[in-house]
Amino acid sequence: MAITILEDFENVEDAYFTANSVSVECDPSSKYLSSDTSNGTVYLGEHQLVFHSKSPTFGFALDYKAIIIHAVSKEDPQPHLYCQLNEQFPDNASLEDDIVELRIYMDENQLDEMFAKLCECVASHPDSASEAELDDVQIIDSFDSSQFITSPEQLDQLTPQGQKVLEHLESVISDERFSDAPDSK
């Protein structure tokens, strides 16, 4: 499992980065991250991002392979590290949506440094595709646009999973700054 709940905690030896006084939120919400447990320390270890809260003693370890997108957000209520995960917390494992949004709020002076270290850690732990997954990979010798959806009129060709991904990306990427821009046709 890519997210492990930690009831006992030992310091992360040789942490690449440590940030105290951080606050963590996730969407969908998890009973593991309540207002009592969401404040603590984040460690970037060799194989995992580890969060530890002292009141009450609680934590989780997140394998870097579970992080599919990470970025710095300087907006929202306050600057934070934004991550999308391809794993659910154990209490949400039965949810249909397999994307979790994790926000780590911390001192803005540490944010860029943590992001840089997280980039290194995630890059050093790439997804290991199984042979079965590699069998599904299609090598394209030449580009044929008929194999791709290239216009809004073709969106009805998306699979249900493709529709779900598109809806999620549109909700994340929507930007009101351009709402009055003319459509380009």
Side-chain angles (χ1 to χ4, degrees), residues 17-19 21-27 33 42-44 48-51 60 62 64 67-85 100-122:
F17 180 85
T18 302
S21 302
V22 301
S23 177
V24 178
E25 295 177 359
C26 72
D27 182 22
L33 286 173
V42 167
Y43 304 89
L44 298 181
Q48 298 173 315
L49 178 152
V50 177
F51 172 76
F60 65 85
L62 170 64
Y64 293 122
I67 301 173
I68 54 177
I69 296 175
H70 55 287
V72 171
S73 174
K74 301 264 178 158
E75 296 178 9
D76 208 14
Q78 71 185 66
H80 63 278
L81 182 71
Y82 172 84
C83 298
Q84 277 188 4
L85 315 176
V100 172
E101 294 180 337
L102 186 71
R103 290 173 177 81
I104 303 172
Y105 298 93
M106 67 179 61
D107 180 343
E108 188 172 358
N109 296 324
Q110 293 184 298
L111 200 53
D112 290 330
E113 181 184 357
M114 181 177 176
F115 178 72
K117 295 290 185 189
L118 182 61
C119 287
E120 292 172 21
C121 293
V122 170

Short mmCIF file of all heavy atoms in Angstrom, two decimals, residues 17-19 21-27 33 42-44 48-51 60 62 64 67-85 100-122:
data_model
loop_
_atom_site.label_atom_id
_atom_site.label_comp_id
_atom_site.label_asym_id
_atom_site.label_seq_id
_atom_site.Cartn_x
_atom_site.Cartn_y
_atom_site.Cartn_z
N PHE A 17 14.76 16.48 3.99
CA PHE A 17 14.11 17.74 4.32
C PHE A 17 13.18 17.51 5.49
O PHE A 17 12.52 16.47 5.57
CB PHE A 17 13.31 18.27 3.12
CG PHE A 17 12.62 19.56 3.39
CD1 PHE A 17 13.28 20.77 3.23
CD2 PHE A 17 11.30 19.58 3.81
CE1 PHE A 17 12.64 21.97 3.48
CE2 PHE A 17 10.65 20.77 4.06
CZ PHE A 17 11.33 21.98 3.90
N THR A 18 13.09 18.49 6.39
CA THR A 18 12.17 18.44 7.53
C THR A 18 11.52 19.80 7.68
O THR A 18 12.20 20.83 7.59
CB THR A 18 12.92 18.10 8.84
OG1 THR A 18 13.59 16.85 8.67
CG2 THR A 18 11.96 18.00 10.01
N ALA A 19 10.20 19.81 7.88
CA ALA A 19 9.48 21.06 8.13
C ALA A 19 8.57 20.86 9.34
O ALA A 19 7.74 19.95 9.35
CB ALA A 19 8.65 21.46 6.92
N SER A 21 5.77 22.44 12.23
CA SER A 21 4.59 23.33 12.26
C SER A 21 3.88 23.39 10.92
O SER A 21 3.56 24.47 10.43
CB SER A 21 4.99 24.74 12.72
OG SER A 21 5.60 24.68 13.98
N VAL A 22 3.67 22.24 10.31
CA VAL A 22 2.93 22.18 9.06
C VAL A 22 1.50 21.73 9.34
O VAL A 22 1.22 21.12 10.37
CB VAL A 22 3.59 21.24 8.02
CG1 VAL A 22 4.99 21.67 7.71
CG2 VAL A 22 3.53 19.80 8.46
N SER A 23 0.63 22.01 8.42
CA SER A 23 -0.75 21.57 8.49
C SER A 23 -1.05 20.81 7.21
O SER A 23 -0.63 21.24 6.13
CB SER A 23 -1.67 22.78 8.62
OG SER A 23 -3.01 22.39 8.62
N VAL A 24 -1.75 19.69 7.33
CA VAL A 24 -2.02 18.84 6.17
C VAL A 24 -3.53 18.66 6.02
O VAL A 24 -4.23 18.42 7.00
CB VAL A 24 -1.34 17.46 6.34
CG1 VAL A 24 -1.64 16.56 5.16
CG2 VAL A 24 0.16 17.62 6.50
N GLU A 25 -4.01 18.79 4.78
CA GLU A 25 -5.42 18.54 4.46
C GLU A 25 -5.49 17.61 3.27
O GLU A 25 -4.59 17.60 2.43
CB GLU A 25 -6.13 19.85 4.07
CG GLU A 25 -6.24 20.86 5.15
CD GLU A 25 -6.89 22.15 4.66
OE1 GLU A 25 -7.23 22.26 3.46
OE2 GLU A 25 -7.03 23.06 5.48
N CYS A 26 -6.58 16.84 3.20
CA CYS A 26 -6.76 16.01 2.01
C CYS A 26 -8.22 16.06 1.57
O CYS A 26 -9.13 16.33 2.35
CB CYS A 26 -6.30 14.57 2.25
SG CYS A 26 -7.35 13.59 3.32
N ASP A 27 -8.42 15.82 0.28
CA ASP A 27 -9.74 15.77 -0.32
C ASP A 27 -9.77 14.58 -1.27
O ASP A 27 -8.95 14.53 -2.20
CB ASP A 27 -10.01 17.07 -1.09
CG ASP A 27 -11.39 17.10 -1.71
OD1 ASP A 27 -12.27 16.35 -1.24
OD2 ASP A 27 -11.59 17.87 -2.67
N LEU A 33 -7.03 12.47 9.13
CA LEU A 33 -6.55 13.86 9.14
C LEU A 33 -7.65 14.77 9.66
O LEU A 33 -8.30 15.48 8.91
CB LEU A 33 -6.11 14.29 7.74
CG LEU A 33 -4.80 13.71 7.27
CD1 LEU A 33 -4.54 14.08 5.82
CD2 LEU A 33 -3.65 14.17 8.13
N VAL A 42 6.64 17.32 8.71
CA VAL A 42 6.80 16.55 7.47
C VAL A 42 8.28 16.26 7.27
O VAL A 42 9.12 17.13 7.46
CB VAL A 42 6.25 17.32 6.25
CG1 VAL A 42 6.69 16.69 4.95
CG2 VAL A 42 4.75 17.38 6.30
N TYR A 43 8.56 15.02 6.89
CA TYR A 43 9.93 14.58 6.58
C TYR A 43 9.93 14.04 5.17
O TYR A 43 9.02 13.32 4.77
CB TYR A 43 10.36 13.45 7.52
CG TYR A 43 10.29 13.76 8.98
CD1 TYR A 43 9.13 13.52 9.70
CD2 TYR A 43 11.39 14.28 9.66
CE1 TYR A 43 9.06 13.79 11.06
CE2 TYR A 43 11.33 14.55 11.02
CZ TYR A 43 10.16 14.30 11.71
OH TYR A 43 10.10 14.57 13.05
N LEU A 44 10.95 14.36 4.41
CA LEU A 44 11.18 13.70 3.13
C LEU A 44 12.31 12.72 3.34
O LEU A 44 13.46 13.11 3.49
CB LEU A 44 11.54 14.72 2.04
CG LEU A 44 10.47 15.76 1.72
CD1 LEU A 44 10.95 16.68 0.61
CD2 LEU A 44 9.15 15.11 1.35
N GLN A 48 9.95 7.69 1.21
CA GLN A 48 8.60 8.13 1.53
C GLN A 48 8.58 9.55 2.08
O GLN A 48 9.54 10.01 2.69
CB GLN A 48 7.98 7.23 2.60
CG GLN A 48 7.81 5.79 2.19
CD GLN A 48 7.36 4.93 3.35
OE1 GLN A 48 7.89 5.04 4.46
NE2 GLN A 48 6.38 4.07 3.11
N LEU A 49 7.45 10.21 1.85
CA LEU A 49 7.11 11.43 2.56
C LEU A 49 6.43 10.96 3.84
O LEU A 49 5.51 10.15 3.79
CB LEU A 49 6.16 12.28 1.72
CG LEU A 49 5.66 13.60 2.30
CD1 LEU A 49 5.34 14.57 1.17
CD2 LEU A 49 4.46 13.43 3.18
N VAL A 50 6.88 11.45 4.98
CA VAL A 50 6.32 11.02 6.26
C VAL A 50 5.77 12.24 6.98
O VAL A 50 6.43 13.28 7.06
CB VAL A 50 7.39 10.33 7.14
CG1 VAL A 50 6.83 9.96 8.50
CG2 VAL A 50 7.94 9.10 6.43
N PHE A 51 4.54 12.11 7.48
CA PHE A 51 3.93 13.16 8.29
C PHE A 51 3.72 12.61 9.68
O PHE A 51 3.25 11.48 9.85
CB PHE A 51 2.58 13.59 7.70
CG PHE A 51 1.82 14.53 8.59
CD1 PHE A 51 2.19 15.86 8.69
CD2 PHE A 51 0.76 14.07 9.35
CE1 PHE A 51 1.50 16.72 9.52
CE2 PHE A 51 0.07 14.92 10.19
CZ PHE A 51 0.43 16.26 10.28
N PHE A 60 1.47 9.29 8.93
CA PHE A 60 1.33 8.45 7.75
C PHE A 60 2.60 8.55 6.93
O PHE A 60 3.33 9.52 7.00
CB PHE A 60 0.09 8.81 6.91
CG PHE A 60 0.11 10.18 6.28
CD1 PHE A 60 0.75 10.38 5.06
CD2 PHE A 60 -0.52 11.25 6.89
CE1 PHE A 60 0.76 11.63 4.47
CE2 PHE A 60 -0.52 12.51 6.30
CZ PHE A 60 0.13 12.70 5.09
N LEU A 62 3.89 8.08 2.95
CA LEU A 62 3.38 8.10 1.59
C LEU A 62 4.52 7.77 0.64
O LEU A 62 5.51 8.50 0.57
CB LEU A 62 2.84 9.51 1.30
CG LEU A 62 2.45 9.86 -0.11
CD1 LEU A 62 1.29 9.00 -0.58
CD2 LEU A 62 2.07 11.33 -0.19
N TYR A 64 6.63 7.69 -2.59
CA TYR A 64 6.76 8.70 -3.64
C TYR A 64 6.06 8.27 -4.93
O TYR A 64 5.58 9.11 -5.69
CB TYR A 64 8.23 9.02 -3.92
CG TYR A 64 8.91 9.71 -2.76
CD1 TYR A 64 10.03 9.17 -2.15
CD2 TYR A 64 8.42 10.91 -2.26
CE1 TYR A 64 10.65 9.80 -1.09
CE2 TYR A 64 9.03 11.56 -1.19
CZ TYR A 64 10.14 10.99 -0.61
OH TYR A 64 10.73 11.62 0.44
N ILE A 67 2.62 9.74 -5.70
CA ILE A 67 2.46 11.15 -6.05
C ILE A 67 2.51 11.28 -7.57
O ILE A 67 3.52 11.03 -8.19
CB ILE A 67 3.57 12.00 -5.40
CG1 ILE A 67 3.52 11.87 -3.87
CG2 ILE A 67 3.43 13.47 -5.83
CD1 ILE A 67 4.67 12.53 -3.16
N ILE A 68 1.36 11.66 -8.15
CA ILE A 68 1.31 11.75 -9.61
C ILE A 68 1.47 13.19 -10.10
O ILE A 68 1.89 13.41 -11.22
CB ILE A 68 0.03 11.11 -10.18
CG1 ILE A 68 -1.22 11.69 -9.54
CG2 ILE A 68 0.08 9.61 -10.02
CD1 ILE A 68 -2.53 11.16 -10.12
N ILE A 69 1.12 14.17 -9.27
CA ILE A 69 1.32 15.58 -9.60
C ILE A 69 1.72 16.29 -8.31
O ILE A 69 1.15 16.02 -7.25
CB ILE A 69 0.03 16.24 -10.15
CG1 ILE A 69 -0.38 15.60 -11.48
CG2 ILE A 69 0.20 17.74 -10.31
CD1 ILE A 69 -1.69 16.12 -12.03
N HIS A 70 2.68 17.19 -8.41
CA HIS A 70 3.02 18.02 -7.25
C HIS A 70 3.41 19.40 -7.76
O HIS A 70 4.00 19.55 -8.83
CB HIS A 70 4.13 17.39 -6.40
CG HIS A 70 5.37 17.03 -7.13
ND1 HIS A 70 5.45 15.96 -8.00
CD2 HIS A 70 6.59 17.61 -7.16
CE1 HIS A 70 6.66 15.89 -8.51
NE2 HIS A 70 7.37 16.88 -8.02
N ALA A 71 3.01 20.41 -6.98
CA ALA A 71 3.24 21.80 -7.38
C ALA A 71 3.19 22.70 -6.15
O ALA A 71 2.67 22.31 -5.12
CB ALA A 71 2.18 22.23 -8.39
N VAL A 72 3.70 23.90 -6.31
CA VAL A 72 3.58 24.91 -5.28
C VAL A 72 2.41 25.81 -5.65
O VAL A 72 2.31 26.27 -6.79
CB VAL A 72 4.88 25.75 -5.17
CG1 VAL A 72 4.67 26.95 -4.26
CG2 VAL A 72 6.03 24.90 -4.67
N SER A 73 1.52 26.02 -4.71
CA SER A 73 0.41 26.95 -4.90
C SER A 73 0.66 28.14 -3.99
O SER A 73 0.76 27.99 -2.78
CB SER A 73 -0.92 26.30 -4.56
OG SER A 73 -1.95 27.27 -4.62
N LYS A 74 0.76 29.31 -4.60
CA LYS A 74 1.00 30.53 -3.81
C LYS A 74 -0.31 31.24 -3.55
O LYS A 74 -0.33 32.32 -2.99
CB LYS A 74 1.96 31.46 -4.55
CG LYS A 74 3.31 30.81 -4.84
CD LYS A 74 4.33 31.16 -3.81
CE LYS A 74 5.62 30.44 -4.13
NZ LYS A 74 6.78 31.01 -3.57
N GLU A 75 -1.43 30.63 -3.95
CA GLU A 75 -2.74 31.24 -3.74
C GLU A 75 -3.49 30.46 -2.68
O GLU A 75 -2.89 29.99 -1.73
CB GLU A 75 -3.49 31.30 -5.07
CG GLU A 75 -2.79 32.18 -6.08
CD GLU A 75 -3.47 32.22 -7.42
OE1 GLU A 75 -4.58 31.69 -7.55
OE2 GLU A 75 -2.89 32.78 -8.35
N ASP A 76 -4.81 30.29 -2.85
CA ASP A 76 -5.66 29.61 -1.88
C ASP A 76 -5.66 30.44 -0.61
O ASP A 76 -5.26 31.60 -0.64
CB ASP A 76 -5.15 28.18 -1.68
CG ASP A 76 -6.27 27.22 -1.28
OD1 ASP A 76 -7.44 27.59 -1.42
OD2 ASP A 76 -5.96 26.10 -0.85
N PRO A 77 -6.04 29.88 0.51
CA PRO A 77 -5.99 30.72 1.71
C PRO A 77 -4.56 31.07 2.11
O PRO A 77 -4.30 32.13 2.65
CB PRO A 77 -6.65 29.89 2.80
CG PRO A 77 -6.85 28.54 2.25
CD PRO A 77 -6.62 28.59 0.77
N GLN A 78 -3.64 30.19 1.83
CA GLN A 78 -2.23 30.47 2.11
C GLN A 78 -1.38 29.57 1.22
O GLN A 78 -1.84 28.55 0.75
CB GLN A 78 -1.90 30.26 3.58
CG GLN A 78 -1.90 28.80 4.02
CD GLN A 78 -1.68 28.64 5.50
OE1 GLN A 78 -2.52 29.05 6.28
NE2 GLN A 78 -0.58 28.04 5.89
N PRO A 79 -0.12 29.94 0.97
CA PRO A 79 0.75 29.13 0.12
C PRO A 79 0.90 27.70 0.68
O PRO A 79 0.92 27.50 1.89
CB PRO A 79 2.08 29.87 0.16
CG PRO A 79 1.72 31.26 0.51
CD PRO A 79 0.55 31.16 1.43
N HIS A 80 1.00 26.75 -0.24
CA HIS A 80 1.11 25.35 0.19
C HIS A 80 1.70 24.50 -0.93
O HIS A 80 1.78 24.92 -2.08
CB HIS A 80 -0.24 24.79 0.62
CG HIS A 80 -1.26 24.75 -0.48
ND1 HIS A 80 -2.00 25.86 -0.83
CD2 HIS A 80 -1.65 23.76 -1.31
CE1 HIS A 80 -2.81 25.54 -1.83
NE2 HIS A 80 -2.60 24.27 -2.14
N LEU A 81 2.08 23.30 -0.56
CA LEU A 81 2.51 22.28 -1.52
C LEU A 81 1.27 21.47 -1.86
O LEU A 81 0.58 20.98 -0.97
CB LEU A 81 3.58 21.38 -0.91
CG LEU A 81 4.13 20.31 -1.84
CD1 LEU A 81 5.00 20.96 -2.91
CD2 LEU A 81 4.95 19.31 -1.07
N TYR A 82 0.98 21.36 -3.15
CA TYR A 82 -0.19 20.63 -3.63
C TYR A 82 0.27 19.33 -4.25
O TYR A 82 1.21 19.31 -5.05
CB TYR A 82 -0.94 21.47 -4.67
CG TYR A 82 -2.04 20.74 -5.38
CD1 TYR A 82 -3.30 20.64 -4.81
CD2 TYR A 82 -1.82 20.12 -6.61
CE1 TYR A 82 -4.31 19.96 -5.45
CE2 TYR A 82 -2.83 19.46 -7.26
CZ TYR A 82 -4.08 19.37 -6.67
OH TYR A 82 -5.10 18.70 -7.30
N CYS A 83 -0.37 18.23 -3.88
CA CYS A 83 -0.05 16.92 -4.46
C CYS A 83 -1.34 16.21 -4.86
O CYS A 83 -2.33 16.28 -4.14
CB CYS A 83 0.69 16.02 -3.46
SG CYS A 83 2.27 16.64 -2.91
N GLN A 84 -1.30 15.53 -5.99
CA GLN A 84 -2.36 14.58 -6.34
C GLN A 84 -1.77 13.20 -6.17
O GLN A 84 -0.66 12.92 -6.62
CB GLN A 84 -2.83 14.77 -7.77
CG GLN A 84 -3.83 15.86 -7.94
CD GLN A 84 -4.42 15.89 -9.34
OE1 GLN A 84 -4.14 15.05 -10.19
NE2 GLN A 84 -5.27 16.88 -9.57
N LEU A 85 -2.55 12.34 -5.52
CA LEU A 85 -2.11 10.98 -5.23
C LEU A 85 -2.99 10.00 -5.98
O LEU A 85 -4.19 10.23 -6.14
CB LEU A 85 -2.20 10.70 -3.73
CG LEU A 85 -1.66 11.77 -2.78
CD1 LEU A 85 -1.91 11.37 -1.34
CD2 LEU A 85 -0.19 12.00 -3.04
N VAL A 100 -6.60 11.57 -4.85
CA VAL A 100 -6.64 12.30 -3.59
C VAL A 100 -5.82 13.57 -3.78
O VAL A 100 -4.73 13.53 -4.34
CB VAL A 100 -6.04 11.46 -2.43
CG1 VAL A 100 -5.90 12.29 -1.17
CG2 VAL A 100 -6.87 10.23 -2.17
N GLU A 101 -6.36 14.67 -3.31
CA GLU A 101 -5.62 15.93 -3.32
C GLU A 101 -5.10 16.17 -1.91
O GLU A 101 -5.87 16.16 -0.95
CB GLU A 101 -6.51 17.08 -3.78
CG GLU A 101 -6.94 16.93 -5.22
CD GLU A 101 -7.83 18.06 -5.69
OE1 GLU A 101 -8.47 18.72 -4.86
OE2 GLU A 101 -7.87 18.28 -6.91
N LEU A 102 -3.81 16.35 -1.79
CA LEU A 102 -3.16 16.57 -0.50
C LEU A 102 -2.54 17.96 -0.52
O LEU A 102 -1.85 18.31 -1.49
CB LEU A 102 -2.09 15.50 -0.28
CG LEU A 102 -1.40 15.46 1.06
CD1 LEU A 102 -2.36 14.96 2.14
CD2 LEU A 102 -0.18 14.55 1.00
N ARG A 103 -2.80 18.72 0.52
CA ARG A 103 -2.23 20.06 0.64
C ARG A 103 -1.41 20.13 1.91
O ARG A 103 -1.90 19.77 2.98
CB ARG A 103 -3.33 21.12 0.65
CG ARG A 103 -4.01 21.27 -0.69
CD ARG A 103 -5.22 22.20 -0.61
NE ARG A 103 -5.82 22.38 -1.92
CZ ARG A 103 -6.64 21.53 -2.49
NH1 ARG A 103 -6.96 20.41 -1.88
NH2 ARG A 103 -7.14 21.76 -3.70
N ILE A 104 -0.17 20.60 1.79
CA ILE A 104 0.72 20.71 2.94
C ILE A 104 1.05 22.19 3.10
O ILE A 104 1.75 22.79 2.29
CB ILE A 104 2.00 19.88 2.72
CG1 ILE A 104 1.65 18.42 2.45
CG2 ILE A 104 2.92 20.01 3.94
CD1 ILE A 104 2.82 17.55 2.04
N TYR A 105 0.48 22.78 4.16
CA TYR A 105 0.69 24.20 4.45
C TYR A 105 1.88 24.34 5.39
O TYR A 105 1.99 23.61 6.37
CB TYR A 105 -0.56 24.79 5.11
CG TYR A 105 -1.78 24.73 4.22
CD1 TYR A 105 -2.66 23.66 4.30
CD2 TYR A 105 -2.04 25.73 3.30
CE1 TYR A 105 -3.78 23.59 3.49
CE2 TYR A 105 -3.15 25.68 2.48
CZ TYR A 105 -4.02 24.60 2.58
OH TYR A 105 -5.12 24.55 1.76
N MET A 106 2.76 25.29 5.08
CA MET A 106 3.95 25.49 5.90
C MET A 106 4.45 26.90 5.74
O MET A 106 3.91 27.67 4.94
CB MET A 106 5.04 24.50 5.48
CG MET A 106 5.57 24.76 4.08
SD MET A 106 6.86 23.65 3.56
CE MET A 106 6.01 22.11 3.63
N ASP A 107 5.49 27.20 6.47
CA ASP A 107 6.15 28.51 6.36
C ASP A 107 6.53 28.74 4.90
O ASP A 107 7.20 27.90 4.28
CB ASP A 107 7.39 28.53 7.26
CG ASP A 107 8.13 29.84 7.22
OD1 ASP A 107 7.91 30.66 6.30
OD2 ASP A 107 8.95 30.05 8.12
N GLU A 108 6.11 29.86 4.35
CA GLU A 108 6.35 30.14 2.93
C GLU A 108 7.84 30.14 2.59
O GLU A 108 8.23 29.81 1.48
CB GLU A 108 5.73 31.48 2.56
CG GLU A 108 5.75 31.76 1.08
CD GLU A 108 4.96 33.00 0.70
OE1 GLU A 108 4.35 33.63 1.57
OE2 GLU A 108 4.97 33.32 -0.50
N ASN A 109 8.70 30.46 3.56
CA ASN A 109 10.14 30.48 3.31
C ASN A 109 10.71 29.09 3.07
O ASN A 109 11.79 28.96 2.51
CB ASN A 109 10.87 31.14 4.49
CG ASN A 109 10.49 32.59 4.65
OD1 ASN A 109 10.25 33.30 3.68
ND2 ASN A 109 10.38 33.04 5.89
N GLN A 110 10.01 28.04 3.50
CA GLN A 110 10.48 26.67 3.31
C GLN A 110 9.84 25.99 2.10
O GLN A 110 10.29 24.93 1.69
CB GLN A 110 10.17 25.82 4.55
CG GLN A 110 10.95 26.21 5.77
CD GLN A 110 10.64 25.23 6.90
OE1 GLN A 110 9.51 25.13 7.35
NE2 GLN A 110 11.66 24.51 7.33
N LEU A 111 8.80 26.58 1.56
CA LEU A 111 8.00 25.94 0.53
C LEU A 111 8.79 25.58 -0.73
O LEU A 111 8.74 24.45 -1.21
CB LEU A 111 6.83 26.85 0.19
CG LEU A 111 5.62 26.24 -0.49
CD1 LEU A 111 5.07 25.06 0.27
CD2 LEU A 111 4.54 27.30 -0.65
N ASP A 112 9.55 26.51 -1.26
CA ASP A 112 10.29 26.25 -2.49
C ASP A 112 11.38 25.20 -2.27
O ASP A 112 11.63 24.36 -3.14
CB ASP A 112 10.89 27.54 -3.05
CG ASP A 112 9.83 28.48 -3.60
OD1 ASP A 112 8.79 27.97 -4.07
OD2 ASP A 112 10.03 29.70 -3.56
N GLU A 113 12.02 25.24 -1.10
CA GLU A 113 13.04 24.24 -0.81
C GLU A 113 12.43 22.84 -0.71
O GLU A 113 12.96 21.88 -1.26
CB GLU A 113 13.77 24.57 0.49
CG GLU A 113 14.86 23.57 0.83
CD GLU A 113 15.53 23.84 2.18
OE1 GLU A 113 15.20 24.84 2.85
OE2 GLU A 113 16.38 23.02 2.55
N MET A 114 11.26 22.74 -0.04
CA MET A 114 10.62 21.43 0.06
C MET A 114 10.20 20.93 -1.32
O MET A 114 10.36 19.76 -1.63
CB MET A 114 9.41 21.47 0.98
CG MET A 114 8.76 20.09 1.09
SD MET A 114 7.40 20.06 2.23
CE MET A 114 6.83 18.39 1.99
N PHE A 115 9.66 21.83 -2.13
CA PHE A 115 9.25 21.43 -3.47
C PHE A 115 10.44 20.90 -4.27
O PHE A 115 10.35 19.86 -4.92
CB PHE A 115 8.59 22.60 -4.21
CG PHE A 115 8.19 22.26 -5.61
CD1 PHE A 115 7.12 21.42 -5.86
CD2 PHE A 115 8.90 22.75 -6.70
CE1 PHE A 115 6.75 21.09 -7.14
CE2 PHE A 115 8.54 22.43 -7.99
CZ PHE A 115 7.47 21.59 -8.22
N ALA A 116 11.57 21.58 -4.22
CA ALA A 116 12.76 21.14 -4.95
C ALA A 116 13.21 19.76 -4.47
O ALA A 116 13.53 18.88 -5.28
CB ALA A 116 13.89 22.15 -4.78
N LYS A 117 13.21 19.55 -3.16
CA LYS A 117 13.62 18.24 -2.61
C LYS A 117 12.60 17.17 -2.99
O LYS A 117 12.97 16.04 -3.31
CB LYS A 117 13.77 18.31 -1.09
CG LYS A 117 14.88 19.22 -0.63
CD LYS A 117 16.23 18.65 -0.95
CE LYS A 117 17.32 19.54 -0.35
NZ LYS A 117 18.64 19.18 -0.77
N LEU A 118 11.31 17.52 -2.94
CA LEU A 118 10.28 16.54 -3.31
C LEU A 118 10.42 16.16 -4.78
O LEU A 118 10.27 14.99 -5.14
CB LEU A 118 8.88 17.09 -3.03
CG LEU A 118 7.72 16.14 -3.34
CD1 LEU A 118 7.80 14.87 -2.50
CD2 LEU A 118 6.39 16.84 -3.13
N CYS A 119 10.73 17.12 -5.64
CA CYS A 119 10.95 16.82 -7.06
C CYS A 119 12.07 15.79 -7.22
O CYS A 119 11.93 14.83 -8.00
CB CYS A 119 11.31 18.08 -7.84
SG CYS A 119 9.93 19.21 -8.10
N GLU A 120 13.15 15.97 -6.50
CA GLU A 120 14.26 15.01 -6.56
C GLU A 120 13.83 13.63 -6.09
O GLU A 120 14.16 12.61 -6.71
CB GLU A 120 15.42 15.50 -5.70
CG GLU A 120 16.11 16.73 -6.19
CD GLU A 120 17.14 17.27 -5.20
OE1 GLU A 120 17.61 16.52 -4.33
OE2 GLU A 120 17.48 18.47 -5.30
N CYS A 121 13.09 13.59 -4.98
CA CYS A 121 12.67 12.30 -4.42
C CYS A 121 11.71 11.57 -5.35
O CYS A 121 11.84 10.36 -5.58
CB CYS A 121 12.02 12.51 -3.05
SG CYS A 121 13.16 13.07 -1.78
N VAL A 122 10.73 12.29 -5.90
CA VAL A 122 9.76 11.67 -6.80
C VAL A 122 10.47 11.19 -8.07
O VAL A 122 10.21 10.08 -8.56
CB VAL A 122 8.61 12.64 -7.13
CG1 VAL A 122 7.74 12.11 -8.26
CG2 VAL A 122 7.77 12.90 -5.89
#
